[in-house]
Short mmCIF file of all heavy atoms in Angstrom, two decimals:
data_model
loop_
_atom_site.label_atom_id
_atom_site.label_comp_id
_atom_site.label_asym_id
_atom_site.label_seq_id
_atom_site.Cartn_x
_atom_site.Cartn_y
_atom_site.Cartn_z
N PRO A 865 66.97 42.47 -33.29
CA PRO A 865 67.87 41.60 -34.15
C PRO A 865 69.30 42.18 -34.06
O PRO A 865 69.46 43.41 -34.01
CB PRO A 865 67.18 41.74 -35.54
CG PRO A 865 66.45 42.96 -35.43
CD PRO A 865 66.00 43.22 -34.05
N THR A 866 70.14 41.36 -34.28
CA THR A 866 71.66 41.71 -34.55
C THR A 866 71.82 42.36 -35.86
O THR A 866 70.93 42.28 -36.74
CB THR A 866 72.52 40.59 -34.41
OG1 THR A 866 72.31 39.70 -35.42
CG2 THR A 866 72.39 39.86 -33.01
N GLN A 867 72.90 43.16 -36.11
CA GLN A 867 73.23 43.58 -37.45
C GLN A 867 73.28 42.50 -38.39
O GLN A 867 72.86 42.68 -39.59
CB GLN A 867 74.56 44.38 -37.39
CG GLN A 867 74.78 45.17 -38.64
CD GLN A 867 75.99 46.13 -38.56
OE1 GLN A 867 76.66 46.11 -37.52
NE2 GLN A 867 76.37 46.62 -39.73
N ASN A 868 73.93 41.43 -38.16
CA ASN A 868 74.04 40.37 -39.05
C ASN A 868 72.65 39.83 -39.51
O ASN A 868 72.35 39.53 -40.73
CB ASN A 868 74.79 39.13 -38.33
CG ASN A 868 75.29 38.19 -39.50
OD1 ASN A 868 75.33 38.42 -40.59
ND2 ASN A 868 75.69 37.05 -39.03
N GLN A 869 71.74 39.67 -38.59
CA GLN A 869 70.33 39.27 -38.82
C GLN A 869 69.57 40.28 -39.72
O GLN A 869 68.91 39.87 -40.63
CB GLN A 869 69.54 39.01 -37.64
CG GLN A 869 69.91 37.84 -36.79
CD GLN A 869 69.20 37.73 -35.44
OE1 GLN A 869 68.96 38.70 -34.88
NE2 GLN A 869 68.86 36.54 -35.10
N VAL A 870 69.71 41.51 -39.43
CA VAL A 870 69.09 42.63 -40.31
C VAL A 870 69.55 42.48 -41.72
O VAL A 870 68.84 42.58 -42.61
CB VAL A 870 69.32 43.89 -39.72
CG1 VAL A 870 68.87 45.02 -40.53
CG2 VAL A 870 68.69 44.04 -38.35
N VAL A 871 70.99 42.40 -41.86
CA VAL A 871 71.45 42.35 -43.21
C VAL A 871 71.02 41.12 -44.03
O VAL A 871 70.60 41.02 -45.07
CB VAL A 871 73.07 42.30 -43.15
CG1 VAL A 871 73.66 42.02 -44.59
CG2 VAL A 871 73.66 43.76 -42.72
N THR A 872 71.08 39.87 -43.30
CA THR A 872 70.46 38.75 -43.80
C THR A 872 68.95 38.85 -44.25
O THR A 872 68.51 38.47 -45.45
CB THR A 872 70.52 37.49 -42.89
OG1 THR A 872 71.86 37.31 -42.57
CG2 THR A 872 70.03 36.18 -43.47
N TYR A 873 68.21 39.41 -43.31
CA TYR A 873 66.63 39.68 -43.63
C TYR A 873 66.57 40.58 -44.89
O TYR A 873 65.62 40.26 -45.69
CB TYR A 873 65.89 40.12 -42.48
CG TYR A 873 65.95 39.22 -41.35
CD1 TYR A 873 65.69 39.71 -39.95
CD2 TYR A 873 66.08 37.85 -41.56
CE1 TYR A 873 65.70 38.91 -38.92
CE2 TYR A 873 66.02 37.00 -40.33
CZ TYR A 873 65.84 37.44 -39.05
OH TYR A 873 65.86 36.71 -38.03
N PHE A 874 67.38 41.62 -44.91
CA PHE A 874 67.33 42.64 -45.98
C PHE A 874 67.48 41.82 -47.30
O PHE A 874 66.78 42.11 -48.29
CB PHE A 874 68.45 43.63 -45.81
CG PHE A 874 68.48 44.49 -47.05
CD1 PHE A 874 67.62 45.62 -47.31
CD2 PHE A 874 69.57 44.37 -47.94
CE1 PHE A 874 67.73 46.39 -48.38
CE2 PHE A 874 69.80 45.20 -48.94
CZ PHE A 874 68.81 46.19 -49.24
N PHE A 875 68.57 41.02 -47.48
CA PHE A 875 68.75 40.27 -48.75
C PHE A 875 67.76 39.31 -49.00
O PHE A 875 67.43 39.13 -50.23
CB PHE A 875 70.21 39.67 -48.71
CG PHE A 875 71.29 40.77 -48.94
CD1 PHE A 875 72.22 41.08 -47.83
CD2 PHE A 875 71.43 41.41 -50.10
CE1 PHE A 875 73.15 41.97 -48.03
CE2 PHE A 875 72.37 42.49 -50.23
CZ PHE A 875 73.21 42.72 -49.29
N VAL A 876 67.21 38.70 -48.04
CA VAL A 876 66.14 37.58 -48.26
C VAL A 876 64.89 38.53 -48.85
O VAL A 876 64.27 38.02 -49.79
CB VAL A 876 65.80 36.95 -46.95
CG1 VAL A 876 64.38 36.25 -47.12
CG2 VAL A 876 66.90 36.11 -46.60
N VAL A 877 64.58 39.61 -48.25
CA VAL A 877 63.43 40.35 -48.86
C VAL A 877 63.75 40.80 -50.06
O VAL A 877 62.92 40.95 -51.04
CB VAL A 877 63.11 41.54 -47.76
CG1 VAL A 877 62.01 42.42 -48.34
CG2 VAL A 877 62.47 40.81 -46.53
N LEU A 878 64.96 41.35 -50.34
CA LEU A 878 65.34 41.90 -51.70
C LEU A 878 65.21 40.85 -52.72
O LEU A 878 64.61 41.08 -53.88
CB LEU A 878 66.73 42.43 -51.64
CG LEU A 878 67.21 43.06 -52.89
CD1 LEU A 878 66.48 44.41 -53.19
CD2 LEU A 878 68.76 43.38 -52.76
N VAL A 879 65.79 39.63 -52.54
CA VAL A 879 65.59 38.52 -53.49
C VAL A 879 64.12 38.17 -53.78
O VAL A 879 63.67 37.99 -54.93
CB VAL A 879 66.48 37.30 -53.03
CG1 VAL A 879 66.24 36.16 -53.79
CG2 VAL A 879 67.85 37.76 -53.02
N PHE A 880 63.41 38.14 -52.76
CA PHE A 880 62.00 37.68 -52.85
C PHE A 880 61.26 38.70 -53.66
O PHE A 880 60.49 38.40 -54.58
CB PHE A 880 61.20 37.62 -51.56
CG PHE A 880 59.88 37.37 -51.62
CD1 PHE A 880 59.36 36.19 -51.85
CD2 PHE A 880 58.86 38.37 -51.34
CE1 PHE A 880 57.98 35.79 -51.89
CE2 PHE A 880 57.56 38.21 -51.44
CZ PHE A 880 57.10 36.85 -51.72
N VAL A 881 61.49 40.15 -53.46
CA VAL A 881 60.95 41.12 -54.32
C VAL A 881 61.29 41.02 -55.79
O VAL A 881 60.45 41.20 -56.66
CB VAL A 881 61.13 42.46 -53.52
CG1 VAL A 881 60.66 43.59 -54.63
CG2 VAL A 881 60.43 42.71 -52.27
N LEU A 882 62.59 40.88 -55.96
CA LEU A 882 63.04 40.78 -57.30
C LEU A 882 62.37 39.52 -58.04
O LEU A 882 62.00 39.66 -59.18
CB LEU A 882 64.47 40.66 -57.32
CG LEU A 882 65.21 41.95 -56.88
CD1 LEU A 882 66.82 41.63 -56.85
CD2 LEU A 882 64.98 43.10 -57.91
N VAL A 883 62.33 38.44 -57.33
CA VAL A 883 61.65 37.25 -58.10
C VAL A 883 60.14 37.48 -58.33
O VAL A 883 59.80 37.20 -59.46
CB VAL A 883 61.83 35.96 -57.08
CG1 VAL A 883 60.91 34.81 -57.51
CG2 VAL A 883 63.34 35.49 -57.00
N MET A 884 59.59 38.21 -57.27
CA MET A 884 58.12 38.40 -57.58
C MET A 884 57.95 39.40 -58.84
O MET A 884 56.97 39.37 -59.51
CB MET A 884 57.48 38.99 -56.32
CG MET A 884 57.37 37.98 -55.27
SD MET A 884 56.53 36.30 -55.70
CE MET A 884 54.91 37.01 -56.11
N MET A 885 58.80 40.43 -58.83
CA MET A 885 58.81 41.37 -59.87
C MET A 885 59.01 40.76 -61.30
O MET A 885 58.31 41.08 -62.23
CB MET A 885 59.77 42.46 -59.67
CG MET A 885 59.46 43.49 -58.74
SD MET A 885 60.76 44.70 -58.37
CE MET A 885 61.25 45.27 -60.02
N ALA A 886 59.91 39.72 -61.33
CA ALA A 886 60.21 39.08 -62.54
C ALA A 886 59.09 38.13 -63.00
O ALA A 886 58.67 38.18 -64.18
CB ALA A 886 61.39 38.07 -62.33
N ILE A 887 58.32 37.55 -61.97
CA ILE A 887 57.07 36.67 -62.36
C ILE A 887 56.02 37.65 -62.85
O ILE A 887 55.41 37.33 -63.83
CB ILE A 887 56.75 36.09 -60.97
CG1 ILE A 887 57.72 34.84 -60.70
CG2 ILE A 887 55.26 35.39 -61.20
CD1 ILE A 887 57.57 34.15 -59.39
N VAL A 888 55.82 38.70 -62.16
CA VAL A 888 54.71 39.68 -62.61
C VAL A 888 55.08 40.26 -64.07
O VAL A 888 54.13 40.37 -64.87
CB VAL A 888 54.45 40.83 -61.56
CG1 VAL A 888 53.53 41.88 -62.12
CG2 VAL A 888 53.90 40.20 -60.35
N ALA A 889 56.24 40.64 -64.22
CA ALA A 889 56.59 41.16 -65.44
C ALA A 889 56.52 40.17 -66.61
O ALA A 889 56.00 40.50 -67.77
CB ALA A 889 58.17 41.78 -65.40
N GLY A 890 56.91 38.94 -66.33
CA GLY A 890 56.80 37.81 -67.25
C GLY A 890 55.36 37.57 -67.63
O GLY A 890 55.01 37.42 -68.78
N LEU A 891 54.58 37.39 -66.68
CA LEU A 891 53.08 37.29 -66.84
C LEU A 891 52.41 38.44 -67.61
O LEU A 891 51.64 38.20 -68.50
CB LEU A 891 52.31 37.10 -65.56
CG LEU A 891 52.64 35.68 -64.83
CD1 LEU A 891 51.92 35.76 -63.53
CD2 LEU A 891 52.03 34.59 -65.69
N ASP A 892 52.86 39.67 -67.34
CA ASP A 892 52.37 40.81 -68.00
C ASP A 892 52.78 40.81 -69.48
O ASP A 892 52.02 41.10 -70.36
CB ASP A 892 52.88 42.21 -67.37
CG ASP A 892 52.42 43.39 -67.98
OD1 ASP A 892 51.20 43.58 -68.26
OD2 ASP A 892 53.29 44.26 -68.29
N PHE A 893 53.92 40.46 -69.67
CA PHE A 893 54.43 40.38 -71.03
C PHE A 893 53.74 39.29 -71.92
O PHE A 893 53.25 39.42 -73.03
CB PHE A 893 56.00 40.10 -71.12
CG PHE A 893 56.61 39.95 -72.56
CD1 PHE A 893 56.76 41.09 -73.27
CD2 PHE A 893 56.88 38.67 -72.96
CE1 PHE A 893 57.40 40.95 -74.54
CE2 PHE A 893 57.42 38.67 -74.31
CZ PHE A 893 57.72 39.75 -74.99
N ALA A 894 53.58 38.17 -71.20
CA ALA A 894 52.89 36.94 -71.92
C ALA A 894 51.39 37.28 -72.25
O ALA A 894 50.93 36.99 -73.33
CB ALA A 894 53.08 35.74 -71.07
N PHE A 895 50.72 37.85 -71.21
CA PHE A 895 49.31 38.17 -71.50
C PHE A 895 49.16 39.38 -72.46
O PHE A 895 48.18 39.37 -73.23
CB PHE A 895 48.62 38.54 -70.10
CG PHE A 895 48.22 37.37 -69.23
CD1 PHE A 895 48.80 37.16 -67.96
CD2 PHE A 895 47.43 36.38 -69.74
CE1 PHE A 895 48.52 36.16 -67.21
CE2 PHE A 895 47.08 35.26 -69.01
CZ PHE A 895 47.76 35.12 -67.71
N GLY A 896 50.06 40.31 -72.43
CA GLY A 896 50.04 41.30 -73.46
C GLY A 896 50.15 40.80 -74.88
O GLY A 896 49.60 41.16 -75.82
N LYS A 897 51.20 39.87 -75.06
CA LYS A 897 51.37 39.25 -76.29
C LYS A 897 50.14 38.51 -76.77
O LYS A 897 49.76 38.48 -77.90
CB LYS A 897 52.67 38.33 -76.23
CG LYS A 897 53.91 39.03 -76.35
CD LYS A 897 54.19 39.59 -77.79
CE LYS A 897 55.58 40.19 -77.68
NZ LYS A 897 55.84 40.81 -79.02
#
Side-chain angles (χ1 to χ4, degrees):
T866 64
Q867 184 177 0
N868 196 17
Q869 288 173 323
V870 171
V871 170
T872 301
Y873 297 156
F874 170 77
F875 284 114
V876 167
V877 169
L878 183 66
V879 168
F880 175 78
V881 169
L882 290 174
V883 167
M884 294 307 294
M885 284 174 52
I887 291 171
V888 170
L891 288 172
D892 181 50
F893 181 77
F895 283 119
K897 286 288 188 183

